[in-house]
Amino acid sequence: MKPAFPSGFLWGAATAAYQVEGAAAEDGRSPSIWDVFCHTPGNTLCGDTGDTACDHYHRFPEDVELMRTLGLGAYRFSVSWSRVMPSGTEPINSAGLGFYDKLVDCLCEAGIEPFVTLYHWDLPNALQASSGGWLHADLPRRFADYANVVFDRLGDRVRFWLTINEPWCIVDGGYFTAQHAPGIEDPALGYVAGHNLMRGHAYAVAAYRASRHGTGAISFALNSNFAYPVSDSAAGQAAADRAVEGFAGWFGDPAYRGEYPSVMRARLGNLLPEFSEEDRELLRGSMDYLAVNYYTSDFVRHAVGAGPMEYERIPQPDRLHTETGWAVVPDGLRDLLLWLTKRYPELPVYITENGAAFADTATDDGEVDDQARIAYLRAHLDAASRARAGGVDLRGYFAWSLLDNLEWSHGFSKRFGLIRCDFETLERTIKASGHWYADVIRNARSQNHGIEAGTEQPVRGGVSG
Ligand code: GCO
């Protein structure tokens, strides 16, 4: 039988700085908008903050050892801009940058590929306070300056980069619903922030390609649900198509072809800012690969007057839901990957996040028999392999998350980890899902004649491979 995943497939797990690092006030780190958000009463469940989180900042050697035990080939983590440049601009804080230097070295020694996200939502608060953060037209340039500092320091060892994590979530949580930092509720501003996030992505990609280390692969992490119509009418199908174009296409289209989807332009009009000719140029072809974060899908119907896109989500009470209330829809992963590959051809694909929160119960020893998470991951890996069989050039998969961590406004109440973190003692215990994932990786490697971790080549625009 042909192996479901090819040799050189990158098997990883992901985290993000604010969710795991802790050490919020150490070595010159300044507060980010997420520190301010979490420290504002009422914003997070139980007032939880990332002050300590998993203390990954101090415990990273132990965490890398755990990754090695699982047999991970790659670790996706994010760099905190507030550590590297506490004021958001020069000067550079060498202690903060040094942390990532040590982490990357430690990963390389363990034969684990570092997969680095530059921005996972934690803008230095100084930039928010002084200029309105992503609403300011110059922020994209500041972001590229910061990115350049990181390329310069880590680019000799890091071959896979992501600029922005999930612009959709930043806009939705940060500017539509105010559930996330910076906690603004003004959709018109959300479209401006989203626009500047993509400009920041484009400028950082240009900086990377021009840099002395710019030979790896760079992209941004696109999150999207797929959407299915609840009726088989033409209007229902059109509503589902609009839902996907308005989700995946909102940010995917600019990064591929330099413009928003025409259906969004037609329906949102002036709410969507225009890219300048220079921005368009820089955006076009700014993904060396497609990085996809997937958790759930939607079931929708055409709904006149339900916002400019005129569709409505219909609850699916009969489906299994995770602790975050998201329906479990593995086929949506396959269908989303097929949709993306059709719309953005020629790009290799990495699933950069996929996972589920379930109410784990731990024994006194911290052991967790999380069969629900195993079932979720198994079904999604199966969907991913079916997408491959359908022509998607899938090259890697990252489970979200390596560790239980701070789930943003849900605080520590939602556990996504392959590894349990006891938030009192900070003790780590590999869950049943972690052991299961280690087996999946081992079996996949042995089916491919024992290809070792760390041999994967970075890709650029589907050219190599
Ligand atoms: C996101 C982020 C992660 C989350 C994860 C679970 O997708 O929201 O990238 O930081 O923790 O997705 O919600």
Side-chain angles (χ1 to χ4, degrees):
M1 203 178 83
K2 212 169 144 221
F5 298 100
S7 71
F9 193 84
L10 217 49
W11 293 100
T15 64
Y18 191 65
Q19 296 182 273
V20 299
E21 283 179 3
E26 254 174 83
D27 294 337
R29 179 187 180 277
S30 70
S32 74
I33 56 173
W34 267 98
D35 296 84
V36 173
F37 187 82
C38 292
H39 279 274
T40 305
N43 277 349
T44 64
L45 194 74
C46 305
D48 288 344
T49 74
D51 287 359
T52 306
C54 308
D55 197 31
H56 185 59
Y57 190 75
H58 297 114
R59 293 168 198 250
F60 75 89
E62 177 188 347
D63 292 336
V64 173
E65 200 43 51
L66 285 163
M67 294 176 215
R68 203 211 297 252
T69 306
L70 296 184
L72 297 192
Y75 174 46
R76 176 178 171 227
F77 63 92
S78 79
V79 173
S80 153
W81 188 346
S82 299
R83 274 193 208 289
V84 172
M85 292 166 117
S87 67
T89 59
E90 301 269 346
I92 298 165
N93 173 29
S94 62
L97 191 50
F99 165 69
Y100 298 103
D101 206 42
K102 283 183 282 187
L103 174 58
V104 166
D105 275 346
C106 186
L107 289 165
C108 292
E109 276 160 31
I112 298 169
E113 181 91 43
F115 210 104
V116 178
T117 310
L118 290 159
Y119 185 78
H120 203 122
W121 309 356
D122 46 355
L123 186 73
N125 191 57
L127 291 174
Q128 186 73 32
S130 65
S131 63
W134 288 105
L135 297 176
H136 197 284
D138 279 347
L139 201 82
R141 300 274 175 210
R142 302 289 82 76
F143 174 64
D145 292 344
Y146 148 70
N148 228 346
V149 168
V150 184
F151 298 144
D152 211 45
R153 182 63 175 267
L154 306 181
D156 56 339
R157 288 150 291 160
V158 173
R159 310 184 298 168
F160 290 94
W161 297 92
L162 290 164
T163 54
I164 308 282
N165 180 68
E166 304 188 350
W168 187 95
C169 273
I170 298 173
V171 173
D172 185 66
Y175 298 86
F176 287 1
T177 67
Q179 297 293 305
H180 284 177
I184 294 169
E185 209 173 332
D186 184 338
L189 296 181
Y191 292 104
V192 175
H195 191 76
N196 286 333
L197 283 159
M198 290 319 285
R199 292 177 57 232
H201 157 75
Y203 299 168
V205 169
Y208 179 62
R209 290 176 179 166
S211 80
R212 65 194 166 115
H213 298 306
T215 53
I218 189 162
S219 192
F220 76 102
L222 174 89
N223 70 294
S224 188
N225 301 354
F226 194 68
Y228 296 98
V230 288
S231 80
D232 42 16
S233 67
Q237 184 57 56
D241 292 346
R242 283 201 301 284
V244 185
E245 279 183 71
F247 202 146
W250 179 3
F251 299 103
D253 275 26
Y256 191 80
R257 56 180 197 97
E259 188 44 279
Y260 293 111
S262 49
V263 66
M264 289 189 78
R265 179 60 74 198
R267 286 173 169 267
L268 292 158
N270 291 338
L271 274 176
L272 279 182
E274 292 281 349
F275 291 113
S276 69
E277 198 39 57
E278 187 208 350
D279 289 349
R280 273 197 204 106
E281 274 295 298
L282 292 176
L283 276 163
R284 267 183 222 123
S286 63
M287 294 184 283
D288 289 330
Y289 58 97
L290 268 168
V292 184
N293 294 356
Y294 177 83
Y295 291 90
T296 186
S297 283
D298 297 321
F299 296 83
V300 303
R301 73 163 170 232
H302 177 62
V304 180
M309 298 296 277
E310 293 193 307
Y311 70 85
E312 191 172 70
R313 295 193 173 100
I314 307 299
Q316 303 290 304
D318 294 342
R319 282 184 181 267
L320 178 66
H321 286 68
T322 68
E323 274 288 295
T324 36
W326 300 337
V328 177
V329 193
D331 280 351
L333 174 59
R334 177 202 57 193
D335 292 331
L336 177 67
L337 294 179
L338 290 170
W339 187 93
L340 290 167
T341 287
K342 188 160 171 222
R343 194 160 178 106
Y344 312 124
E346 308 293 323
L347 292 178
V349 181
Y350 292 80
I351 296 168
T352 37
E353 284 181 30
N354 175 237
F358 286 110
D360 298 335
T361 38
T363 64
D364 289 347
D365 299 335
E367 301 286 334
V368 179
D369 189 18
D370 54 341
Q371 293 301 322
R373 184 169 295 103
I374 293 176
Y376 179 99
L377 295 173
R378 180 186 283 127
H380 285 78
L381 278 174
D382 179 60
S385 80
R386 285 183 285 124
R388 258 185 57 75
V392 173
D393 181 11
L394 185 66
R395 310 253 183 122
Y397 174 91
F398 289 78
W400 183 272
S401 175
L402 178 74
L403 286 170
D404 291 341
N405 58 45
L406 180 87
E407 179 57 14
W408 307 110
S409 52
H410 297 289
F412 297 105
S413 69
K414 303 281 180 271
R415 294 177 177 270
F416 278 86
L418 298 171
I419 298 173
R420 176 180 164 82
C421 181
D422 178 321
F423 294 110
E424 298 292 315
T425 63
L426 298 172
E427 201 180 321
R428 278 87 159 127
T429 313
I430 298 177
K431 299 181 194 175
S433 60
H435 293 296
W436 171 84
Y437 191 48
D439 279 346
V440 167
I441 298 173
R442 228 186 337 265
N443 291 339
R445 290 210 182 107
S446 71
Q447 280 179 4
N448 286 300
H449 315 293
I451 294 275
E452 290 300 318
T455 56
E456 301 80 4
Q457 289 305 310
V459 290
R460 168 156 288 182
V463 179
S464 71

